[in-house]
Amino acid sequence: MPEAKAVNKFFSDIAPSYDLANRVMSSGIDVGWRRYLARRVSASHPVDLLDLATGSGDVAFTLARKVKSAQHILATDFCQPMLEQAMQKQSTRRGAERVSFQQADCLNLPMDDNSFDVVTIAFGLRNLEDRARGLAEILRVLRPGGRLLVLEFTQPDRWIRGFYYWYLKHIIPRISGKLTGHEDAYEYLGSSIEAFPEKAKLAAELEAAGFTDIRMKGLTFSIAAVHEGSKPVT
């Protein structure tokens, strides 16, 4: 698993150009992924939401627009430069007055037990130095019956896998490196995706962490996937 200090440095380096690089390398497909995540969150009618590894805030802002039941969305990240990018965008995002930001480490969350109806983490779970510990912290801060939703890259369908990994290793670092000036950060991106568990194995990790009612859905040839799990009521 990745080393936390290295991950923090990667994201600190690319923070100013992060959004532009994302749009270019995903061709905007990530917008649809976030909207699907928000629809799944909305189905739980949550009041208090926690968005972990919020990065530049796009998931939190999408939740603010799409999840009408939400009264408060707390968005956290352990990389302060990424949070600063999110806060700079806040005044231009509809519904964002319900979003607040806080620097926090997913492995040691500064929140009370049983505090949130839903926790989301998008493209951040694979960056945790200790996934089992991170999942344990999420379970702790969820209320009984609360829901975790994970949007993350996964292993794509086999027919596209060869081309996809070639694209990740040889094209993404060059394009995004020119946009951000940090090609090494996007070399890390490709290696972290290739090393991440496939959908069924991640579902097994959620079950081992104590989540129940686990569901998973691949998106765009399973380039990404949404996993869901609930905290047991008793």
Side-chain angles (χ1 to χ4, degrees):
M1 291 188 188
E3 200 272 324
K5 288 183 179 179
V7 172
N8 199 324
K9 183 180 185 305
F10 288 148
F11 285 101
S12 295
D13 288 344
I14 65 175
S17 304
Y18 178 80
D19 285 341
L20 175 61
N22 270 7
R23 293 296 90 75
V24 170
M25 70 182 187
S26 72
S27 301
I29 294 172
D30 58 313
V31 174
W33 295 343
R34 288 194 298 274
R35 288 175 179 168
Y36 175 80
L37 178 71
R39 288 198 298 273
R40 294 302 306 152
V41 170
S42 189
S44 296
H45 306 291
V47 174
D48 297 304
L49 277 70
L50 173 62
D51 181 43
L52 298 174
T54 197
S56 62
D58 283 346
V59 168
F61 297 139
T62 301
L63 295 173
R65 290 196 312 273
K66 301 292 185 180
V67 183
K68 304 304 181 183
S69 62
Q71 294 182 9
H72 178 226
I73 300 166
L74 176 59
T76 74
D77 202 285
F78 83 146
C79 179
Q80 184 61 32
M82 291 297 291
L83 279 180
E84 290 169 2
Q85 293 296 313
M87 289 185 284
Q88 287 176 17
K89 297 191 293 186
Q90 187 170 18
S91 63
T92 66
R93 298 299 192 269
R94 179 164 52 89
E97 66 278 357
R98 290 181 291 154
V99 180
S100 61
F101 294 97
Q102 180 179 347
Q103 188 175 23
D105 185 345
C106 291
L107 304 187
N108 187 23
L109 293 172
M111 296 99 185
D112 293 336
D113 296 357
N114 307 318
S115 295
F116 298 95
D117 303 308
V118 165
V119 175
T120 58
I121 181 168
F123 308 115
L125 192 64
R126 76 181 188 285
N127 295 321
L128 299 189
E129 194 170 68
D130 185 337
R131 272 199 306 276
R133 182 176 169 184
L135 291 172
E137 277 291 273
I138 293 170
L139 193 70
R140 178 182 68 79
V141 301
L142 273 172
R143 290 172 179 147
R147 199 86 172 139
L148 164 66
L149 292 98
V150 179
L151 171 59
E152 186 55 90
F153 292 114
T154 186
Q155 307 307 312
D157 294 342
R158 290 193 178 277
W159 68 271
I160 199 174
R161 195 170 293 182
F163 169 77
Y164 177 67
Y165 284 127
W166 173 83
Y167 179 72
L168 277 180
K169 292 177 181 179
H170 301 289
I171 303 301
I172 287 295
R174 292 181 182 178
I175 295 175
S176 299
K178 288 181 179 180
L179 292 172
T180 66
H182 294 280
E183 186 171 327
D184 58 337
Y186 288 90
E187 291 173 349
Y188 160 75
L189 172 69
S191 63
S192 70
I193 293 172
E194 191 169 10
F196 198 69
E198 62 184 8
K199 296 190 294 295
K201 289 183 178 179
L202 182 57
E205 288 189 17
L206 295 183
E207 184 175 14
F211 291 92
T212 60
D213 188 22
I214 296 166
R215 306 176 191 181
M216 57 186 177
K217 180 177 175 59
L219 306 173
T220 316
F221 315 123
S222 284
I223 289 173
V226 170
H227 284 71
E228 303 180 39
S230 294
K231 180 173 181 175
V233 175
T234 56

